[in-house]
Amino acid sequence: MHYLFSDTERLILPVPFELVVRPASAQRFLKRAVEAGDEWGHVLSAYPDVRCEPLDFHYVCLQNISAFGSELMADLAQHFGWRGAVWGSLLAALSQDARYLSGLDTARRTAPRNQWAMDLAQSILNGAAPLNDGALIEWLSRLRAQLAPLPRLPVNLRRCPSREETAARAEAVRVAYRNGDFATALAQARR
């Protein structure tokens, strides 16, 4: 993993996964979200100073897009099951950045029952004609347009320690424990 599991989990926790698990429900949900963006556009344009509940999905998207990159795509696809694969695919589709195509291949292996999300993202990233997802592509495009002018706020995702760092910490705990310095051993273990 590139980022700490807990940080990534905290980032994607507000995503309404049950509403984006299937194409039909994702289409209905995205339609409602875009319509809320149209209706509350005056409030959306005041982000981040003003927020309102009907635009919560927009805020979740903005936060995730701000943190999104190849490493986060890889973490989502490899370590967060179908939820990470579907969400990573939708973020890749929103980004319209072809560098996420390789992450979609990993997501395909992780979520074989949710191929529609990877197919959708791949068609958007390749600029290919949609197979049966024209409405989904339209709603994603409109959501992207609503989010485009809004500022991206920094998102702090802590990097996972390397194996060498983990081994060094474990050795520091062992040394402190052997020397009878239990407070230091406990402090090192908590890090």
Side-chain angles (χ1 to χ4, degrees):
M1 283 193 66
H2 299 93
Y3 299 106
L4 291 178
F5 187 89
S6 59
D7 286 3
T8 305
E9 186 176 49
R10 179 181 33 83
L11 178 69
I12 67 170
L13 189 64
V15 176
F17 291 109
E18 68 281 356
L19 299 176
V20 296
V21 68
R22 300 276 180 253
S25 61
Q27 182 178 329
R28 287 189 301 272
F29 176 72
L30 288 172
K31 178 180 186 277
R32 286 192 309 272
V34 168
E35 288 172 347
D38 289 341
E39 181 179 346
W40 293 90
H42 61 288
V43 176
L44 189 58
S45 65
Y47 174 83
D49 298 324
V50 179
R51 294 184 180 198
C52 71
E53 186 178 353
L55 299 172
D56 280 347
F57 184 67
H58 288 74
Y59 307 139
V60 169
C61 287
L62 282 168
Q63 185 178 31
N64 278 260
I65 289 168
S66 295
F68 197 60
S70 298
E71 292 177 339
L72 183 57
M73 176 70 190
D75 284 356
L76 289 173
Q78 293 173 7
H79 303 288
F80 287 89
W82 68 266
R83 289 173 178 86
V86 169
W87 186 238
S89 298
L90 292 177
L91 289 173
L94 281 172
S95 77
Q96 284 190 308
D97 191 335
R99 68 183 163 151
Y100 301 123
L101 284 168
S102 62
L104 294 175
D105 293 335
T106 304
R108 283 184 191 288
R109 292 188 297 276
T110 304
R113 291 185 170 179
N114 301 96
Q115 296 297 306
W116 70 270
M118 285 57 98
D119 292 341
L120 174 70
Q122 190 167 16
S123 67
I124 289 172
L125 297 179
N126 285 330
L131 297 174
N132 289 322
D133 298 322
L136 268 170
I137 289 176
E138 176 189 345
W139 294 119
L140 280 170
S141 175
R142 289 183 59 189
L143 178 61
R144 185 183 318 107
Q146 290 175 345
L147 298 174
L150 302 175
R152 305 298 190 255
L153 301 178
V155 175
N156 183 26
L157 294 178
R158 294 172 291 173
R159 299 202 59 86
C160 278
S162 68
R163 291 177 189 221
E164 294 80 19
E165 291 171 322
T166 303
R169 284 185 190 167
E171 183 59 25
V173 169
R174 277 193 285 282
V175 168
Y177 188 77
R178 280 187 210 129
N179 292 333
D181 189 358
F182 303 116
T184 301
L186 184 58
Q188 287 288 337
R190 287 183 176 157
R191 283 185 47 203

